[in-house]
Amino acid sequence: MGSGYAWILPTAIGAGWLLSWWRTRRIRWGLLSAATVVSVLCAAFGIRTYGRPVSPEDLHCSSAFACVGRHPVYWIMTGMTGFGCCLVLLLVTAVAEIVIRLDDRASPESPR
């Protein structure tokens, strides 16, 4: 990846997902749904504003603010990376929830 900006959204998604394990399942699934929508919107915005071919010189920005919003390829990279992160976390969450439910069923009830 050429820009650190493409990792901001996936990092925020991962941090929110980790923090959501201390709350209810509804928050975890809602967070993943919202993150997926934001990722798709970022990619769609980049694709929609992609009006000219990007040369290799365009991808090497001279300052930290030179790349922000100037080249739609970074929006596309951010959206696709965020979407991939959401897919991986979706699978991990589904498997973890299944394991937790099976473990709850297998554990004996507390004696009275």
Side-chain angles (χ1 to χ4, degrees):
M1 291 259 177
S3 172
Y5 296 115
W7 293 103
I8 293 173
L9 182 62
T11 302
I13 292 169
W17 180 80
L18 283 174
L19 292 173
S20 73
W21 282 95
W22 282 280
R23 298 291 180 187
T24 63
R25 286 184 312 165
R26 183 176 293 163
I27 292 173
R28 189 168 27 261
W29 288 106
L31 174 79
L32 282 174
S33 300
T36 302
V37 168
V38 169
S39 298
V40 168
L41 288 176
C42 282
F45 176 76
I47 291 169
R48 185 158 191 263
T49 59
Y50 193 76
R52 63 178 179 82
V54 178
S55 68
E57 291 82 29
D58 288 340
L59 298 179
H60 301 290
C61 301
S62 59
S63 68
F65 294 105
C67 292
V68 179
R70 194 171 111 199
H71 304 293
V73 71
Y74 294 116
W75 286 97
I76 297 168
M77 287 171 32
T78 299
M80 297 306 286
T81 306
F83 186 73
C85 179
C86 287
L87 285 179
V88 169
L89 291 178
L90 175 79
L91 292 172
V92 170
T93 303
V95 169
E97 298 248 351
I98 290 169
V99 169
I100 289 170
R101 286 187 187 195
L102 291 175
D103 188 45
D104 287 345
R105 283 187 186 174
S107 64
E109 294 183 89
S110 59
R112 294 183 188 198

